[in-house]
Amino acid sequence: MHVISLLAQAGTPGDCILSGLCGVVPEAAPAIPAGVMYLAVGMVIAGTIGWRRARRERPEQDTPAS
């Protein structure tokens, strides 16, 4: 009989098996919202593209031969 009751709770979170109280503790929200991370990644990509474009457009400086 006890095995059947444990099998019925096998697909539930761990707190349901131990105490019978399911979902009492809410899950913590992420520390940084996803939108801020997407913005930061976009800014890094845009900066990298701008930096590479500026390096490519700058003419090569010739060093004088001695």
Side-chain angles (χ1 to χ4, degrees), residues 6-23:
L6 287 176
L7 287 176
Q9 293 182 356
T12 59
D15 58 351
C16 291
I17 294 172
L18 296 176
S19 64
L21 301 172
C22 298

Side-chain angles (χ1 to χ4, degrees), residues 38-54:
Y38 285 123
L39 179 66
V41 169
M43 289 175 66
V44 168
I45 291 172
T48 303
I49 291 171
W51 177 69
R52 291 188 67 187
R53 184 177 294 155

Side-chain angles (χ1 to χ4, degrees), residues 30-66:
I32 300 174
V36 175
M37 294 302 293
Y38 285 123
L39 179 66
V41 169
M43 289 175 66
V44 168
I45 291 172
T48 303
I49 291 171
W51 177 69
R52 291 188 67 187
R53 184 177 294 155
R55 284 187 65 200
R56 205 176 299 147
E57 290 175 356
R58 185 174 35 169
E60 294 292 326
Q61 297 177 359
D62 296 330
T63 56
S66 26

